[in-house]
Amino acid sequence: GYGLHAQQWVGFANVSGLEKDLAAGTAKEMILVAPDAFSLHNGSFYSNSKTTGDWETFIAIELVNYIDNHYRTLPNRLSRGLAGHSMGGYGTFRIGMKHPEVFSSLYAMSACCMLDTADVTPAMIQMEAIKTKEEALKLNFNQKSPLARAAAWSSNPGNPPLFIDLPVKDGKQRPIIAAKWMANSFMVMLDTYAINLKGMKAIEMNVGLQDGLLQTNRDMDEALTDAGVAHHFETFEGDHNGQVPLNFETKVLPFFSRQLAFQK
């Protein structure tokens, strides 16, 4: 998720829940890989940026090859899945639908960025005043998100020192930059990549009824249905972060235990 290093995620999501599931017989033995997607602006959004790195290739190709070459894996798509929360839920869909030859099962928790219209907001306007990396580093957690999305979706090597283009200038929306953000929204990308998602063995997603992303996740569920993509969507009592450890243990790990191939 946005704002977390890999080590923080391991604790936040209670990855140790796998041991409990194994003991209870609700999960099978598997390798859990937690890639670090932290960046200057607290998160990469798992996208290919000209200025902050090719995070999609890192996750889908380089990291997969490294794990297969160093651990006791079953090196095929049917034995690999992707899961993530919030920004990681977006990354799960983004990388999964662009690399169906690598992954076969997806579980997205409270996914963000379903339709980012780059609206002119006070927070977005405030970002215009940020002129140095030092100023960016001083921003609090919530303030940095527009900079992170700009680095992911509208990077500009010719615009120092942050090397990004914001979708707002002089308090007004810049349509071309806003269009780049829209193009990286899941429900826009779905038009191109639905055929790949249809080839997935299984897709599940959930979101809390008290989560601010509830409506966009419901919209995503509807968009997947309209596109003919088989999937399962469910809600639960809870907010954006509170149920992640429980969901990881009781939903995500059992899901992959049912869907992944555990034999050659």
Side-chain angles (χ1 to χ4, degrees):
Y2 182 73
L4 294 179
H5 284 284
Q7 187 173 3
Q8 293 170 298
W9 161 256
V10 168
F12 170 66
N14 188 29
V15 169
S16 61
L18 177 59
E19 300 297 330
K20 292 172 62 178
D21 281 3
L22 286 169
T26 55
K28 296 181 180 179
E29 183 183 276
M30 65 182 79
I31 298 171
L32 302 181
V33 182
D36 201 318
F38 200 82
S39 68
L40 170 67
H41 305 301
N42 286 1
S44 67
F45 286 84
Y46 300 95
S47 302
N48 296 345
S49 169
K50 295 178 181 178
T51 58
T52 59
D54 186 344
W55 294 90
E56 179 187 318
T57 299
F58 162 59
I59 301 290
I61 307 300
E62 296 170 359
L63 182 60
V64 168
N65 288 338
Y66 180 89
I67 298 299
D68 281 343
N69 287 323
H70 288 80
Y71 294 89
R72 185 169 49 91
T73 68
L74 296 173
N76 64 79
R77 68 180 294 270
L78 293 176
S79 296
R80 296 193 204 101
L82 282 171
H85 169 255
S86 196
M87 181 185 79
Y90 167 76
T92 293
F93 276 116
R94 181 188 180 96
I95 294 176
M97 68 185 179
K98 295 181 75 174
H99 296 274
E101 76 286 358
V102 181
F103 306 99
S104 65
S105 301
L106 310 177
Y107 200 114
M109 297 181 283
S110 305
C112 79
C113 315
M114 295 301 98
L115 189 64
D116 199 322
T117 55
D119 292 335
V120 178
T121 64
M124 192 75 78
I125 293 173
Q126 185 181 9
M127 293 303 99
E128 286 193 78
I130 305 302
K131 302 300 182 183
T132 68
K133 289 183 178 180
E134 290 72 24
E135 291 175 341
L137 287 170
K138 292 179 182 178
L139 295 172
N140 66 35
F141 172 85
N142 292 324
Q143 290 175 309
K144 277 191 175 184
S145 179
L147 297 181
R149 285 175 284 156
W153 303 330
S154 54
S155 60
N156 183 352
N159 189 20
L162 296 182
F163 302 101
I164 62 174
D165 287 331
L166 287 169
V168 172
K169 187 172 184 178
D170 299 327
K172 298 180 180 179
Q173 189 178 70
R174 304 168 69 186
I176 292 177
I177 306 303
K180 292 182 179 181
W181 286 37
M182 286 279 286
N184 282 279
S185 299
F186 175 76
M187 282 189 280
V188 176
M189 297 176 75
L190 183 60
D191 284 344
T192 300
Y193 295 104
I195 188 171
N196 292 345
L197 289 176
K198 290 178 182 179
M200 287 289 156
K201 185 172 185 291
I203 299 173
E204 291 199 14
M205 52 184 287
N206 68 18
V207 65
L209 291 172
Q210 288 76 44
D211 192 331
L213 298 178
L214 173 62
Q215 187 56 54
T216 55
N217 273 255
R218 282 177 166 161
D219 292 342
M220 177 173 64
D221 167 46
E222 184 176 338
L224 286 168
T225 299
D226 290 345
V229 176
H231 67 288
H232 176 70
F233 170 66
E234 64 182 23
T235 59
F236 57 87
E237 287 292 336
D239 58 16
H240 188 62
N241 292 324
Q243 295 291 102
V244 173
L246 180 63
N247 283 335
F248 192 76
E249 179 183 330
T250 63
K251 301 291 185 179
V252 177
L253 293 174
F255 165 78
F256 286 117
S257 296
R258 293 191 306 270
Q259 302 299 343
L260 297 183
F262 288 87
Q263 294 181 341
K264 292 183 179 180

